[in-house]
Structures are given as structure tokens and as C-alpha cells.
């Protein structure tokens, strides 16, 4: 079998506490910047800090991006960027800010709207986007370095990823200090997303020796520090482990693909309007149980990094971590009902589902959803 190693990462990645200070020197001189930041930045001092750091640049600011953004939200950002003739985007926020800003920076330089590309009426993105710097304030998706962005089409409720090399940021600055103000519930959900991505990458059909090294290290960092990052938000070592773990995760899964948690998780999330990380956290244990028969050795290898010896030990540790971070074991509270199953089954057959190590039929998916509802 031929393995495909396609190295598409940002040309510059800066990692470490205080790395944000280097942002101004890394931007194109004289750039007109669209600064896209999360709503909390207005209250926690981050917006002020960025305005000070970027005082030498002409700034247009969008503060606040809807969670799990839809296509209209991306088009809003594109319109603001075009109207203000910006030639660089600086995205500072969680996964939703990252995804919306990544797509906007690309489509601003191309004709049409995000809808045209999402729905396939324009399939070719033929121009590189404007300069994009990505600075995550949560440790989760790793979107600061990946070539894809996930959106919901408000008309069809379909949630899917668009993927293109021109969506990859030109610069990623991963500074764990930026994650200190994330509330514990956000740290938990985004951290469980990172863990899910690491584990799915590790047991994916597309895993290679290269991605295994990255995903195993990511699992080790996240398993040792997520609980601490939730309980002691100012613990810079825990925040640093989480930031590095989530970045390594994205380096792995953007090569290996993911698995059934992400395949099933997208339609579940769009049905229930549930945050992506929570959806992943709830699905991870049952999907690992399902995959155990074909991925048991690899799961046992991950257990060895976290003080266990068997696949069951690892699955138990994952489940315990979910519980310790305050995330429920099923979708009962979130309102999953039998009437949702048809939509979920119809919309779960993505690339992630194909990369899952053990096949899942529609009946298998429904049986799992029944147990979780
Ligand atoms: Fe994810």
C-alpha cells in the first residue's frame, strides 16, 4: 500500500508563552487589517491588548462570531473585509472564530460568496487568500494550522467541512497565555475535541508512522493536563500542554483523517445545536468501544502512555476524564430523539466516517444513538 504524505501546514508557526508579542513584526508592512476576535475579548482585556500591539496598522475590528458558524456569518465577515479593502486578517479566538476567519480571508480574494463554494456551484478556489494570522484562545480544534473549516448551511442544516490549501493560515501563533481566560466549560469541551482528534487520528485507516508519533504525543499531553487546565485555569504548564497537544493533534489528523466520532458528531451537533467539543466528548467512549475489536493494539499503546496496559484501560481513562470535566455520558439532556436519527444517518457518511477503523452500518449508527438518547 502507498502512504500519502502531504505536508500542508502554515509556513510559520510560533509556539510558547508570550509568542503573541511577535505578531506585529510578522505581519506585512503597512497592511490594512481585519481583526476578527471572540466576543469575550472585549471584556477580558484581549481586544485592548491587540489594539495596542497593532497600533501601527489600520484596523477594522469584528468582535464576536456566532458559535458553530453558518454560511451567513462567514459572508458577513467577507463583506466587511471587502468594504474596507483589507489585505490581511488576524483571527484571535476559539474554533468558530478561526474557521470563519480562515474561509473569509480566502474568499475575500476570490469571486462570489462562501455559499458558492460550500454548495459546489463554484468548485474552484483559484486565488490564494489574503494574508492570515491565526491565534487560538482555546486548545481544541487546532484550526490555526489546518486546511479546513466547518460550517452549517442554515437552509439545509447540513454541517460539513470545506477544505483547501488556500485556507491554511500564513502564520499561526500558539501562545498558551491566550487560553488562560477561557472558562472551564470551554476548556473542557475544546480539550475533549482535541483528545478525540488525537485518538481518532491514531487509529484512523489513514494513520502513518508520522501521524502516529504526533497523535500519541498529543494524547499523552492532553490526558495528563486537561483536568488541571479546567480546575486551575492559571496553570501555565497545563495550558501549555493543552495548546501543544491540540496543535500536534491537528498536524496529525490533517494528514491521517479522523473517524466516526467526527462523522456522526457533525449531524448530531447541527440537530441539537450542541458545541462540537461536547458532541465529540459524548461520542468518544462508545465509538472507541466499537473500534476496540480492530484497533485494540493501538488503544493499548495509548494506554501505556497514560499509566494503563490495555485498550479497556484507555477507554476507561477517557470516560473518567470526560466525567471529571463535567461532560455528561449521553445526549439525554441535549434532547436527542428518535426523530433525529434519519437526518444523522443520512449526513454522517463523510471522509471522517470512511477513515474509521471498524465499519459501521446505518443500523450500527442507529443502535449507538439509541443507547445515547
Ligand atoms: Fe473536532
Amino acid at each position: 500500500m502507498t502512504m500519502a504524505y502531504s505536508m500542508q501546514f502554515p509556513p510559520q508557526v510560533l509556539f510558547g508563552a508570550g509568542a503573541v508579542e511577535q505578531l506585529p513584526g510578522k505581519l506585512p508592512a503597512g497592511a490594512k487589517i481585519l481583526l476578527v476576535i471572540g466576543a469575550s475579548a472585549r471584556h477580558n482585556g484581549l481586544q485592548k491588548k491587540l489594539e495596542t500591539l497593532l497600533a501601527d496598522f489600520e484596523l477594522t475590528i469584528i468582535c464576536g462570531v456566532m458559535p458553530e458558524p453558518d454560511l451567513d456569518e462567514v459572508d458577513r465577515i467577507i463583506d466587511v473585509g471587502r468594504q474596507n479593502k483589507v489585505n490581511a486578517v488576524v483571527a484571535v479566538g476559539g474554533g468558530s472564530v478561526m474557521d470563519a476567519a480562515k474561509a473569509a480571508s480566502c474568499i475575500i480574494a476570490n469571486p462570489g460568496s462562501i455559499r458558492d463554494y460550500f454548495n459546489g456551484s463554484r468548485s474552484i478556489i483559484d486565488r490564494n487568500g489574503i494574508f492570515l494570522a491565526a491565534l487560538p484562545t482555546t486548545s481544541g480544534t487546532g484550526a490555526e494550522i489546518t486546511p479546513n473549516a466547518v460550517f452549517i448551511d442554515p437552509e439545509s442544516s447540513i454541517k460539513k467541512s470545506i477544505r483547501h490549501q488556500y485556507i491554511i493560515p500564513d502564520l499561526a501563533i500558539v501562545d498558551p497565555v491566550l487560553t488562560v481566560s477561557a472558562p472551564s466549560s470551554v476548556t473542557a469541551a475544546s480539550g475533549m475535541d482535541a483528545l478525540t482528534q488525537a485518538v481518532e487520528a491514531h487509529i484512523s485507516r489513514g494513520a502513518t508512522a508520522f501521524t502516529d508519533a504526533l497523535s500519541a504525543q498529543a494524547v499523552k499531553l492532553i490526558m495528563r493536563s486537561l483536568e488541571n487546565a479546567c480546575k486551575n485555569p492559571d496553570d501555565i504548564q497545563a495550558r501549555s500542554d493543552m495548546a501543544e497537544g491540540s496543535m500536534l493533534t491537528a498536524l496529525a489528523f490533517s494528514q491521517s483523517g479522523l473517524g466516526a466520532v467526527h462523522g456522526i458528531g457533525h449531524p448530531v451537533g447541527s440537530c441539537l445545536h450542541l458545541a462540537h467539543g461536547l458532541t465529540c466528548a459524548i461520542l468518544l467512549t462508545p465509538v472507541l468501544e466499537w473500534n476496540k475489536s480492530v484497533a485494540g493494539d493501538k488503544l493499548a499503546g495509548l494506554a501505556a502512555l497514560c499509566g494503563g496496559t490495555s485498550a479497556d484501560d484507555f477507554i476507561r481513562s477517557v470516560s473518567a476524564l470526560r466525567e471529571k470535566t463535567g461532560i455528561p455520558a449521553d445526549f439525554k439532556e441535549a434532547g436527542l430523539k428518535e426523530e433525529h436519527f434519519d437526518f444523522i444517518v443520512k449526513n454522517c457518511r463523510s471522509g471522517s466516517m470512511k477513515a474509521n477503523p471498524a465499519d459501521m452500518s446505518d443500523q450500527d449508527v442507529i443502535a449507538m444513538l439509541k443507547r445515547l438518547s
Side-chain angles (χ1 to χ4, degrees):
M1 193 173 111
T2 305
M3 301 275 192
Y5 287 87
S6 143
M7 305 297 165
Q8 294 182 326
F9 302 124
Q12 278 199 87
V13 179
L14 303 179
F15 177 85
V20 66
E21 305 295 334
Q22 296 188 42
L23 174 64
K26 298 287 178 185
L27 295 170
K32 289 180 74 169
I33 293 171
L34 178 62
L35 175 61
V36 185
I37 49 178
S40 57
R42 190 175 286 145
H43 314 293
N44 64 19
L46 185 56
Q47 180 173 344
K48 238 190 162 41
K49 180 180 175 66
L50 289 161
E51 283 174 343
T52 307
L53 263 180
L54 301 174
D56 291 341
F57 296 88
E58 193 178 326
L59 280 187
T60 302
I61 300 177
I62 291 179
C63 183
V65 168
M66 71 188 289
E68 316 292 322
D70 65 19
L71 299 176
D72 293 334
E73 185 72 337
V74 182
D75 277 333
R76 177 178 76 94
I77 299 170
I78 293 170
D79 286 346
V80 172
R82 285 179 179 157
Q83 278 160 20
N84 289 280
K85 299 189 172 21
V86 301
N87 53 17
V89 174
V90 173
V92 187
S96 300
V97 169
M98 289 294 132
D99 279 2
K102 280 163 71 178
S105 72
C106 178
I107 305 303
I108 281 172
N110 283 276
S113 72
I114 184 68
R115 252 190 187 75
D116 301 332
Y117 301 93
F118 189 86
N119 294 324
S121 59
R122 285 178 205 266
S123 54
I124 298 169
I125 298 175
D126 53 10
R127 276 182 235 155
N128 203 346
I130 59 176
F131 185 94
L132 171 64
L135 293 85
T137 59
T138 59
S139 299
T141 65
E144 66 277 7
I145 57 162
T146 60
N148 60 296
V150 181
F151 303 112
I152 296 177
D153 181 339
E155 273 96 54
S156 64
S157 294
I158 287 175
K159 183 176 188 179
K160 68 174 183 185
S161 170
I162 62 166
R163 186 181 170 94
H164 199 281
Q165 59 174 343
Y166 290 161
I167 291 177
I168 300 171
D170 299 281
L171 166 69
I173 298 183
V174 183
D175 182 340
V177 177
L178 296 181
T179 68
V180 162
S181 57
S184 165
S185 59
V186 172
T187 301
S190 50
M192 287 303 291
D193 178 27
L195 177 64
T196 303
Q197 291 170 175
V199 179
E200 293 213 289
H202 200 73
I203 61 174
S204 156
R205 289 180 204 255
T208 64
F210 171 72
T211 60
D212 277 357
L214 295 163
S215 54
Q217 183 62 19
V219 168
K220 189 174 163 186
L221 290 168
I222 297 166
M223 290 296 284
R224 103 174 160 203
S225 286
L226 177 54
E227 188 185 353
N228 227 351
C230 291
K231 293 188 173 153
N232 306 299
D234 296 328
D235 183 333
I236 287 294
Q237 186 53 53
R239 293 291 190 179
S240 188
D241 280 358
M242 289 307 300
E244 194 165 26
S246 99
M247 184 178 73
L248 295 176
T249 289
L251 288 170
F253 87 75
S254 59
Q255 304 297 306
S256 64
L258 289 161
V261 176
H262 278 78
I264 300 168
H266 284 327
V268 169
S270 62
C271 271
L272 304 180
H273 305 285
L274 198 60
H276 174 67
L278 285 180
T279 315
C280 288
I282 293 169
L283 285 168
L284 183 56
T285 299
V287 168
L288 290 184
E289 288 287 359
W290 179 263
N291 283 327
K292 194 171 63 177
S293 60
V294 296
D297 288 350
K298 282 195 121 175
L299 292 173
L302 293 179
L305 301 173
C306 320
T309 54
S310 66
D312 285 325
D313 287 343
F314 182 69
I315 297 170
R316 266 194 296 274
S317 324
V318 165
S319 185
L321 183 58
R322 174 194 48 68
E323 209 172 317
K324 281 184 211 155
T325 56
I327 298 175
D330 56 42
F331 295 111
K332 284 191 179 93
E333 220 175 284
L336 182 65
K337 304 253 164 29
E338 210 149 327
E339 70 211 46
H340 298 124
F341 294 176
D342 197 37
F343 176 87
I344 295 166
V345 167
K346 275 197 184 114
N347 292 290
C348 74
R349 299 281 162 203
S350 59
S352 294
M353 206 62 175
K354 289 186 190 115
N356 195 62
D359 289 333
M360 284 187 100
S361 69
D362 289 353
Q363 292 318 311
D364 298 329
V365 174
I366 289 170
M368 183 178 289
L369 294 172
K370 271 189 182 154
R371 288 196 297 276
L372 294 172
S373 59

